[in-house]
Amino acid sequence: MHIQPILASGNSDDDTDASVVVETRPKTKKPPLYKILLLNDDYTPMEFVVHVLERFFSMTHAQAFEIMLTVHKKGVAVVGVFSHEIAETKVSQVMDLARRNQHPLQCTMEKE
Ligand code: TYC
């Protein structure tokens, strides 16, 4: 939704136009949020995925195990929702750890 200043305009278009801002509503656009998605694959060990969810998404072991199983069964799950910068950092951290451990785990982000 666009919010614009409300203008009171005397006439339309010339130099004598004495347009005056009579009211503005405060522009408080909420920052967009991004979902982080974890994707299933056939090779990443379940324990590694659980570890990733505990480490980067502050889940308990039980929560992490449950979400890991959801991804395993359904193919994908949202594992968190964050600002763009935080989401980008977490995706990088997950992808980096997976790569360093030679697992094909994939993690992506998309605007909510
Ligand atoms: N499917 C994997 C296995 O059977 C486990 C797994 C779960 C992998 C979640 C990725 O995001 C994932 N070892």
Side-chain angles (χ1 to χ4, degrees):
M1 188 186 70
H2 282 286
I3 299 173
Q4 293 171 308
I6 297 162
L7 296 178
S9 177
N11 55 29
S12 49
D13 199 81
D14 57 57
D15 285 352
T16 68
D17 188 340
S19 295
V20 173
V21 175
V22 292
E23 184 186 335
T24 59
R25 284 157 292 185
K27 259 203 253 178
T28 56
K29 271 245 283 296
K30 296 192 201 98
L33 292 175
Y34 293 79
K35 299 183 281 199
I36 296 187
L37 307 170
L38 199 62
L39 279 64
N40 188 37
D41 65 72
D42 292 339
Y43 304 104
T44 304
M46 291 186 173
E47 316 81 68
F48 181 82
V49 178
V50 170
H51 170 73
V52 160
L53 292 172
E54 290 172 331
R55 177 157 171 189
F56 298 119
F57 299 94
S58 312
M59 295 183 194
T60 65
H61 189 78
Q63 288 171 332
F65 198 88
E66 196 179 313
I67 299 289
M68 180 281 296
L69 272 189
T70 301
V71 178
H72 177 70
K73 289 181 197 159
K74 302 205 164 187
V76 63
V78 175
V79 299
V81 178
F82 304 94
S83 69
H84 189 273
E85 188 176 357
I86 302 282
E88 228 173 33
T89 300
K90 287 184 185 290
V91 168
S92 293
Q93 288 172 327
V94 171
M95 295 297 283
D96 194 55
L97 190 65
R99 191 185 43 73
R100 275 160 34 212
N101 287 274
Q102 298 181 298
H103 297 315
L105 183 64
Q106 294 294 307
C107 182
T108 60
M109 60 193 268
E110 66 175 41
K111 204 170 177 181
E112 243 195 354

